[in-house]
Amino acid sequence: MNDPSILGPGAVDPLIALRPWEAPEVTSWGRLPMNAVDRRRGGLPLDGDWRFQLLPAPHAPVGGAWANAHVPGSWTLQDTADLPQYTNVRMPFPEFPPHTPAANPTGVYEREVDVPADWAGRRIVLQVGAAESVLLVHVDGRPAGVSKDSHLAAEFDLTALVRPGARATVRLTVVKWSDASHIEDQDQWWHGGITRSVLLYATDPLHLADVTVRAAYSGELRVDCRVRDTGGALPEGWYLTGDLDGLPLAQDAEFDRANTEDERVSDFLGEARLLAAVADVRTWNAETPELYDLTVRLHRRDGTVADTSRHRIGFRDVEVVGRDLLVNGERVFVRGVNRHDFHPLTGRTVSYDDMRADLVLLKRFGFNAVRTAHYPSDPALYDLADELGLYVVDEADIESHDHAHEIADDPRYLSAFVDRVSRMVLRDKNHPSVIIWSLGNESDYGANHDAAAGWLRRHDPTRPVQYEGAAKLGWADPDVASDIACPMYAPLEDCLAHALSGKQTKPLIQCEYSHAMGNSNGTLADHWAAIEATPGLQGGFIWEFWDHGILQRVSDGRPAGRGGAGLYDNGVAAPGYRWAYGGDFGESLHDGAFIADGVVFPDRTPKPAMYEHREIAAPLRIECYKHEGIVLGNHQHFRGLDWLAGEWRLDLADGTTLTAPAALPRLCPGETAAVPLPFAVPRDGGEAWLTLRVTVAEDQPWASRGTEVCVPQVRLRGPAAAEAVPVDRRVQVDGEGLLVHPLLTAAPTLSLWRAPTDNDELGGMAQRWRSWGLDALVRKAVSVRRDSGRVTVEAEYAGTTGVVRHRQVFTPVEGGVRVEEEAELPEAFDDVARVGTVFETVAGLDLLDWFGQGPWESYPDRSAGAPVGHHSVPVEELFTPYLRPQESGGRHGVRRFTLSAPDATGLSVVLDEPRQISVTRYRAEDLAAAGHHDELVPRPGCVVHIDAAHRGLGTASCGPDTSPSYLVAPGIHRWSWTLRAL
């Protein structure tokens, strides 16, 4: 595009006159080409406080008092009038593409910069790491350029606009809404501002314009370099040298084509290639991420160094062969998560330490892959993925969810699609962690995608391309722009049918599955059992990593901002604060708590589902118990077991626990071996469970020695039959047939209701349960019969559409009472939340001890991560604080439990068989009525549920519900339990 200053004297500001916020064919002006030469290590950082004004629209005049804004950061979280807004599919304004609303917040950032005097004669470049969504750059009032694309850096050559040794005023104007906003409709908070670091750096006029590294699994290395001189034609005699871990590389003289004019940038390019063949190469993969230090130097004719580029590279191959994705020739399982850039105080501005903490946590919980949903991440994330060992699906900054069909074929957006995909590839191509390129997300499928894919395949044939919008037209279609079938939330039975159909042509790796909203991720173990057993299925990416709750001051409803550090812990906001979601900032158009759908809370505290994933992804597993021995299996792709240590633990039902060190066998990936039992199992003691606690043997980049990796378990002996012995005394039952007990404040009654989970609400189950009246059952038609100390109570529980017959038989036993129950559900109640008992205790019972699955929360379809054993947790810590209060805190497979006070008084309950229980301070109606946790008032005693049957969780908020085997059916349900005082 021509210099906009030619627009004439009528334009006060030529960049404003250009109106780039409504010109989709204009992706940039004055912006330098993207490249993979990392300039972050040098230069002059410009982060910190800038002068700031928030204007109502781009054309509004700058004037009046300046405030301060921190860069990087979103102005929506820095106490301005423009607050965050969350929408999922819907755009936050009604205008159709490419138009924008008249009210268009525009941030003006300004500061002085002292340009170093020793930069005289050098090329001076401004780098803005990211700005949402249109960036206009001025220096001393003169225009320097325009950039779109909110999640990639923009660079501008300021050499002609600044003077070394002098002070310059840099103004960065950021327009919030633009034509580009229509392709950044990405299920996240809408912010505005400069969200990544700003840097001013200098190079020699003769400089490395780009470096492309191809490092193959075989050890063959090729480094292609582009050289540019901003002073004109390239000088004679320039040359390149390079070394890899100190060993020199050879230059391929035949590749040198100096002084080749590139009309796109109106200067001259030279190209050269460096080569090496590395013997005994250490290859890169997610399990053993071996890296080499590569240094490339550009020399002048006299041998002096004009420019240097440093890279950490890994030797590896990625290819699709048939229906398998191969890394270094191995079919790998992709255990992935989708990840937005997010922080509860700073929004999309994330520090290096925070990014490292994100990836370290993922590694510790068995994840080996990240999809950068739905835009390229900060460059530091790729460095960390290279170092720590994570496969990356790098996704272009394209999502047009609300107007997907129109935009996919709109030629006005063609340049934007190609620009965003190509710039991502040019920046990230040298990272071994990037194994797949993605063309974007939820943008239908059209000619614009094909154009971007065509450029990508030509530029980088070493990696496959994926795009869900193309793949959904046909998982086996070879003619669409996706080398991988990457559906969203496909039912497991559909995936299995496809893999078994004989028609599959490419790997099936779901780009999103198992939606983690609230108490969710049901059937995760079922999915992975099918994936690991079925050729053609290779994994997927859970949606998503974070709950995007923003820390909010309850007093005034505003974000806590950068000053909120320390006001949250273990997923809970401090008193006076809460986790805000859509609608909490006064916005009328929003999508509520759908922003809270991660496997970690906003403060990065793992949710219980993380432990489920950790066991499903365990590198070392107990395959079976047979012939008095244990069979262990190495489920890694590339690594032995030498980095792991183990300890055996034997838990008996009578409370006995034995431990012993474990000598792990030497196993190659995929191998199994039998090891003898570490204990002689005692003849008595009842049910027996053997657990192998696996830890890190020596420090890893992502875990210190002793960090727990997994806890595989096997049952060695089943439960012994045990019957309570009746004694001759009366059971106290009142005239309404309710048990009277000194430790209970509410007698045991029938419960068919749970505080709806997000899956229950959005999947439609909660509405159906309410229509049946399960949230307000009426107990009536009670009959009480006494016989030799035993009391039989029969009652009817009436909903709005059916009646449940319930019988309780109370039998006195030594120290307590045995309760036998039966409930008959009518056929109309074909899918209820639970069938069981609820009662409430006196205050002061603050500790729960149990034998069963734990210690963390578990449910019938999410229990693989909770080993059977003896567990003890304070009652206050049993409840899981999902952002919107809902059913939580359940424990699956419990055999018995005690609730005790500090003086060891309390009650014990023995169950007839392993059951689902929960113990919290809240009734279901308390949780269902609250929108946030600051609205909850804990009850003094405990609310205890014992369930004969409990519905699975599923992921129906976005994706499949739980499988039929985890539904609670009509008919007769029976259960029994024994209550004693301690």
Side-chain angles (χ1 to χ4, degrees), residues 198-232:
V198 179
L199 176 72
L200 191 69
Y201 69 86
T203 73
D204 194 281
L206 177 67
H207 61 279
L208 289 164
D210 199 7
V211 174
T212 301
V213 178
R214 301 281 169 82
Y217 173 67
S218 64
E220 296 296 319
L221 175 65
R222 192 182 87 191
V223 184
D224 293 331
C225 302
R226 307 189 85 190
V227 177
R228 177 173 286 127
D229 193 317
T230 53

Side-chain angles (χ1 to χ4, degrees), residues 532 582 622:
E532 293 189 358
I622 298 176

